[in-house]
Amino acid sequence: MRFAVLISGHGSNLQSIIDACKRGTIKSELALVISDKPKAFGLERAQRARIPTKVFNPKDYTNRQSVDRDMIIHLTKEKIDFVVLAGYMRLLTPYFIKKYHRKILNVHPSLLPSFRGVQGIKDTFTYGSKVTGVTIHFVDEKMDHGPIIAQDSFKIYERDTLESLERRIHKLEHKIYSQAIAAFEQGRLKIKGRKVHVVDKPSKMPSSR
Ligand code: GRF
């Protein structure tokens, strides 16, 4: 299968996915990296790894739907089977989500459903939580809401600062995202309502039911 990664910024998750492809943990081809920000550092990471890149800058469009429409045209042309969000800081429209139904994965830096939104780590830290973690989930029409594929957690120590917490979260993201992508491409994720069952025996295609 061929997949695209959507980014907006630094791209450390993208880098860990590129590395997982090189190692063979992920077998699908990372065929395209898309950014909404022309200066995202992640684009450089992609170019260094010789992965085609494309920018869809919302400033060039009048509304969200037309951005997503152009993205879908491009993804279809590039024969992209599934989409991985890695720090893509925009909400996809229902139009996009329907086109890739149950074929869009996201990483979120908190234990959902706590601390949705763009500041998951900071919000967890300032709230005074004693435990935090990372969530990998399918994307649906609501923000940070779709069925949960994987979660892992750790304790927040007294000595943690926002910076140390960010480092620990990113380390965990880089560990579990590639594993979840691998389970998805192997057809080992079975979705029933909100529940995602990870089965041992792979089927041919990722299931949407
Ligand atoms: C990650 O913490 C991810 O969970 C969130 O945005 C951040 C992106 O970081 N959605 P990077 O660009 O992958 O370094």
Side-chain angles (χ1 to χ4, degrees):
M1 287 196 289
R2 288 163 63 81
F3 72 108
V5 174
L6 271 55
I7 58 160
S8 295
H10 190 61
S12 70
N13 279 284
L14 167 66
Q15 188 63 56
S16 79
I17 294 166
I18 292 172
D19 296 344
C21 290
K22 281 191 191 140
R23 277 199 313 275
T25 309
I26 297 173
K27 304 257 187 296
S28 299
E29 184 186 350
L30 174 41
L32 176 65
V33 170
I34 287 179
S35 171
D36 60 327
K37 300 252 165 52
K39 290 191 175 151
F41 181 63
L43 289 170
E44 283 183 36
R45 297 181 190 269
Q47 282 148 11
R48 227 185 285 149
R50 299 180 193 285
I51 299 161
T53 60
K54 183 96 182 155
V55 174
F56 290 92
N57 189 343
K59 288 182 184 152
D60 300 335
Y61 294 85
T62 49
N63 58 54
R64 288 171 58 215
Q65 177 108 349
S66 44
V67 181
D68 282 13
R69 206 164 281 230
D70 268 9
M71 274 206 281
I72 290 289
I73 291 171
H74 195 70
L75 292 168
T76 309
K77 196 176 111 217
E78 292 297 321
K79 297 188 169 49
I80 297 298
D81 299 296
F82 67 97
V83 173
V84 169
L85 307 186
Y88 185 66
M89 301 312 256
R90 291 173 58 80
L91 271 187
L92 293 170
T93 56
Y95 169 80
F96 188 112
I97 293 166
K98 269 196 201 94
K99 291 281 179 190
Y100 277 90
H101 181 69
R102 298 298 191 234
K103 288 177 180 167
I104 310 170
L105 281 67
N106 185 38
V107 58
H108 186 76
S110 78
L111 293 173
L112 291 176
S114 292
F115 306 112
R116 291 179 178 147
V118 293
Q119 299 205 111
I121 307 174
K122 194 172 177 205
D123 292 345
T124 306
F125 185 70
T126 49
Y127 196 78
S129 300
K130 302 291 186 197
V131 171
T132 189
V134 167
T135 305
I136 314 294
H137 66 95
F138 284 106
V139 171
D140 68 7
E141 276 80 4
K142 294 185 197 159
M143 185 182 64
D144 301 329
H145 176 269
I148 291 172
I149 300 166
Q151 273 184 323
D152 206 346
S153 63
F154 58 81
K155 281 189 176 166
I156 300 173
Y157 302 126
E158 294 271 324
R159 63 172 181 273
D160 267 313
T161 59
L162 179 57
E163 291 68 35
S164 72
L165 198 57
E166 280 169 352
R167 274 197 300 278
R168 295 177 70 201
I169 286 283
H170 292 318
K171 196 169 168 202
L172 186 56
E173 288 181 334
H174 301 163
K175 183 176 156 212
I176 71 172
Y177 207 4
S178 297
Q179 291 168 359
I181 296 167
F184 174 79
E185 67 177 2
Q186 290 162 15
R188 291 170 49 223
L189 303 180
K190 305 288 170 209
I191 309 172
K192 272 200 179 146
R194 277 211 55 85
K195 302 253 172 79
V196 180
H197 301 280
V198 185
V199 298
D200 286 339
K201 204 168 160 255
S203 63
K204 262 192 175 165
M205 273 295 288
S207 128
S208 60
R209 300 255 163 259

